[in-house]
Amino acid sequence: MSAPERWLVIGASGRLGRELCDALRGRGHIVAAPSRGRLDVTDRAAVARYLSDWAPDITVNCAAWTRVDDAERHEAEALRINAEAPRYLARACRATRSRLFHLSTDAVFSPAAGHPPRPFPEDHPPAPVNAYGRSKHAGERAVLEELPHRSTVVRTAWLYGRYGSSFVRTMLRHAAGQGTVRVAHDQYGQPTSATDVLCALLALADAPPARTTGVFHATCLGSTTWYGLAREVFRLAGADPDRVEPVTTASLGRPAPRPAWSVLGHDRWRELGVLPVRPWAEALAAFCRTEVSACCGH
């Protein structure tokens, strides 16, 4: 085993952050996971002080404004958390020579009209369709501008895991109940397990910084719709998939527009000689087996 490293995980109470901290401590690394009360990442001076005191080898930014619809009415606040705070972190990492892994999203993309859908490569020009996507794109630019030689933007999508709420866990609750559930059938993406994302982060950490700068996509392989995902969750939970009712995104009346296609490609991993993600259906089956067994007390 390699020597323990000092890691700083921002947003450690979230869906990915908690699993990442578990994995890092299991590997024997030294982990700082400050709460929002201990470190306000929108306070530039506080960020600089904290990193100077802790001197991490690697910083991971999992913190974000993720309320997509609310961002339409509070874009300035979303920008403070998703763009200004990452800039402060990148500057502090530059001063302390820490590597920075910054989590981003598939929502920075929108397919061009008239083009057949294909996975977006890492270097495809972003074109977000909502305020949340704009704020996350601004955060990506800030990180790569401030820390070009020691930063990695890691885009993921449709995330679920052992901690926190998620679409998958919501569908498991519906599957255990009665009645139908209405789910959009016209948005395509990649359901992704937090376990697969943390494995991707660990693979990046094991590689030299010079080979991991820029953008990587950490999503499970393949694609489906929210409707297809919900049906598969119901099937894995032993419920009738026909209880899932397909509807259009427009009929759900959400304030923020959603991209119809946000499937990501993984060419950068092939350059590293690594593909640390599974097909989405395989990852989902493993997760649902664990969740259903836990609910049933097995």
Side-chain angles (χ1 to χ4, degrees):
M1 180 179 170
S2 59
E5 293 175 311
R6 294 171 68 85
W7 287 65
L8 170 60
V9 180
I10 306 296
S13 64
R15 195 177 304 158
L16 174 60
R18 288 181 68 183
E19 286 202 36
L20 177 60
C21 288
D22 290 347
L24 292 172
R25 290 174 178 133
R27 282 188 162 202
H29 294 304
I30 306 162
V31 182
S35 66
R36 278 178 290 184
R38 288 196 59 203
L39 177 60
D40 177 0
V41 291
T42 65
D43 183 332
R44 179 173 52 189
V47 169
R49 281 194 305 271
Y50 195 99
L51 268 80
S52 178
D53 291 343
W54 179 249
D57 298 300
I58 298 174
T59 299
V60 184
N61 182 30
C62 301
W65 175 295
T66 57
R67 301 189 303 276
V68 175
D69 290 319
D70 287 348
E72 294 298 304
R73 293 180 294 109
H74 302 284
E75 187 164 359
E77 188 174 348
L79 280 165
R80 284 183 65 231
I81 297 169
N82 291 348
E84 292 178 23
R87 186 177 294 279
Y88 301 155
L89 281 168
R91 287 176 179 171
C93 286
R94 185 175 63 203
T96 57
R97 293 197 56 76
S98 172
R99 295 174 72 178
L100 174 60
F101 299 144
H102 172 69
L103 272 294
S104 192
T105 173
D106 61 327
V108 300
F109 289 125
S110 174
H115 286 247
R118 66 182 185 88
F120 290 105
E122 292 87 347
D123 61 355
H124 191 87
V129 298
N130 56 39
Y132 167 69
R134 289 191 294 272
S135 70
K136 292 297 290 182
H137 179 217
E140 292 184 359
R141 292 198 314 268
V143 165
L144 296 174
E145 287 169 5
E146 297 288 345
L147 195 67
H149 304 301
R150 297 184 68 82
S151 67
T152 310
V153 169
V154 182
R155 294 182 183 132
T156 191
W158 295 24
L159 193 67
Y160 63 90
R162 292 187 291 123
Y163 299 115
S165 61
S166 67
F167 178 85
V168 169
R169 299 188 88 176
T170 298
M171 289 303 108
L172 283 170
R173 288 197 300 273
H174 281 296
Q178 302 294 324
T180 61
V181 58
R182 301 168 71 239
V183 180
H185 68 81
D186 53 358
Q187 295 176 47
Y188 286 81
Q190 294 161 303
T192 301
S193 162
T195 300
D196 288 279
V197 180
L198 75 84
C199 288
L201 290 169
L202 293 173
L204 290 168
D206 287 341
R211 299 190 65 197
T212 62
T213 55
V215 178
F216 280 76
H217 290 163
T219 51
C220 283
L221 301 175
S223 64
T224 187
T225 62
W226 290 113
Y227 169 69
L229 172 57
R231 284 183 61 89
E232 185 64 4
V233 171
F234 269 60
R235 186 188 71 79
L236 290 166
D240 181 3
D242 288 341
R243 286 172 50 205
V244 181
E245 178 186 346
V247 297
T248 64
T249 299
S251 72
L252 297 174
R254 292 173 175 162
R258 264 70 170 178
W261 174 269
S262 58
V263 177
L264 307 182
H266 304 91
D267 288 346
R268 290 289 312 274
W269 292 108
R270 295 185 180 92
E271 294 172 11
L272 278 184
V274 178
L275 192 61
V277 287
R278 298 170 283 180
W280 71 266
E282 178 184 328
L284 181 69
F287 177 77
C288 288
R289 277 196 302 270
T290 301
E291 289 289 299
V292 171
S293 294
C295 288
C296 295
H298 296 161

